Amino acid sequence: MARGVAGDPDQGVELLWRDAEREPRPGLSLGRIVRAAVELADAEGLEGLSMRKVADRLGFTTMSLYRHVPGRDQLVDLMRDEVLGEALVTTSDAAPDTSLDAGPDADGGWRGRLEEAARRAWELRMRHPWLAEVRGSRHLPGPNAVAHYDHMLGALTGTALRPSEVVAVVGLLGRFVDAEALLLAETRREERRSGVSEQEWWGARDSLYERLDRFPALSRLWETGGWDDPEDSFTFGLRRLLDGVEVLIRERDESRDERCPECGTPLESAPSGRPRVYCSRACQQRAYRKRRAAD
């Protein structure tokens, strides 16, 4: 049973990180509320989500929902974590090898791992477009969200990127996926509202197109087929983004200090060919303890 008030972030943490509940006998439960809310948002978007509609879908009164979840905002956080569980790696998709001697191509290399994670995130948003509509900087992450984020960070483990750059790359990639998904969500929302598909709506804009021949660059691209076979915006953008990360990693590899940052010992090449960061496990663990102590 939910205690606390809507807007209490500590209450939100308790809800998100609660122990897995054993499904009770037929009746209302938090798990059933969250699943019904996800189904509703899949059908109508976040704009169509309300506590009343979720209650109606379940056959209960609106007030009965508040015994389990304080309000709509907390429900959205629970919904987000619920569906992010779909994107988690399976047991067979082992985590990247983070040992000192892990090669750059282990598990397909950082690029393959990061691209796979981004595509999983994109496919998830194709199934649940409302995910991109969850805006704001203070949505609490649950265990599935943190596991998904941790997996993406781990894709860059072992590269020459600085720790802050690893965080920045994953943040940039996440914002790119969300931006593409938000366009999809907005398109579906307009199609639901108007009953007219995107292609049909733009195809009927002759009054606009007849005014565009005065623009030379646009006209030239139109005449040479620039819009006949458009690039897939997600695939194109993801590849260009990863190209930029690859250039940065190459620059960092070329300029990486060849001495152990902990003890100053010259670093020998690892058997796999990837530059070492520390000369030994002892130095790696010592540096880790220092970072923990500084936090």
Side-chain angles (χ1 to χ4, degrees):
M1 181 181 295
R3 292 191 175 91
V5 296
D8 179 358
D10 292 330
Q11 170 67 8
V13 171
E14 292 298 327
L15 281 171
L16 285 162
W17 291 83
R18 70 195 185 282
D19 293 332
E21 60 184 4
R22 184 179 301 172
E23 199 65 45
R25 60 182 178 274
L28 196 59
S29 69
L30 184 57
R32 291 191 179 114
I33 292 170
V34 172
R35 289 192 290 273
V38 168
E39 292 173 0
L40 180 60
D42 286 347
E44 300 185 24
L46 278 190
E47 65 178 1
L49 177 71
S50 70
M51 300 293 278
R52 179 186 60 78
K53 286 186 177 181
V54 175
D56 289 345
R57 182 174 284 255
L58 290 167
F60 287 86
T61 66
T62 303
M63 288 306 299
S64 63
L65 268 62
Y66 288 104
R67 298 177 60 240
H68 299 270
V69 58
R72 184 181 183 278
D73 289 345
Q74 287 82 3
L75 180 57
V76 170
D77 286 341
L78 288 162
M79 292 162 55
R80 179 173 178 267
D81 203 63
E82 175 78 12
V83 299
L84 283 173
E86 300 173 19
L88 294 179
V89 294
T90 61
T91 304
S92 60
D93 294 325
D97 184 353
T98 59
S99 67
L100 286 173
D101 296 335
D105 295 325
D107 297 313
W110 70 265
R111 181 164 181 150
R113 296 193 298 271
L114 202 57
E115 180 172 356
E116 180 186 8
R119 289 193 178 280
R120 288 188 186 208
W122 171 243
E123 290 164 3
L124 183 68
R125 285 156 178 77
M126 291 282 285
R127 295 193 297 273
H128 308 288
W130 55 267
L131 268 177
E133 298 180 280
V134 181
R135 314 305 293 171
S137 61
R138 296 189 178 181
H139 283 280
L140 294 165
N144 290 333
V146 173
H148 178 65
Y149 183 54
D150 186 73
H151 178 65
M152 295 188 74
L153 293 171
L156 290 165
T157 296
T159 67
L161 292 178
R162 299 164 182 157
S164 61
E165 291 173 337
V166 170
V167 174
V169 166
V170 171
L172 177 62
L173 187 60
R175 288 189 294 275
F176 165 73
V177 173
D178 276 340
E180 288 291 310
L182 185 59
L183 178 60
L184 174 65
E186 290 171 344
T187 298
R188 291 187 179 181
R189 182 169 61 244
E190 285 301 314
E191 290 179 339
R192 284 195 304 268
R193 183 190 61 79
S194 67
V196 179
S197 73
E198 191 82 349
Q199 185 175 4
E200 290 172 334
W201 193 89
W202 283 107
R205 302 282 75 78
D206 290 340
S207 60
L208 169 66
Y209 301 140
E210 65 188 16
R211 291 171 165 81
L212 300 182
D213 57 1
R214 72 185 72 171
F215 301 98
L218 190 153
S219 297
R220 185 163 55 253
L221 285 169
W222 180 273
E223 292 165 0
T224 54
W227 281 270
D228 291 350
D229 187 20
E231 298 283 346
D232 179 271
S233 63
F234 176 79
T235 298
F236 181 84
L238 178 60
R239 287 176 178 170
R240 301 297 76 79
L241 192 155
L242 294 178
D243 286 346
V245 175
E246 188 169 343
V247 170
L248 179 60
I249 289 177
R250 191 179 303 120
E251 290 176 354
R252 291 287 177 265
D253 270 326
E254 292 171 354
S255 62
R256 178 142 51 173
D257 189 357
E258 297 301 325
R259 289 183 175 272
C260 174
E262 189 61 30
C263 69
T265 300
L267 297 175
E268 298 178 1
S269 297
S272 64
R274 195 196 73 183
R276 294 177 183 267
V277 177
Y278 299 99
C279 67
S280 66
R281 290 283 184 186
C283 280
Q284 184 184 40
Q285 293 170 359
R286 192 178 303 119
Y288 173 76
R289 289 194 293 271
K290 286 182 178 179
R291 290 195 298 271
R292 289 296 298 270
D295 290 340

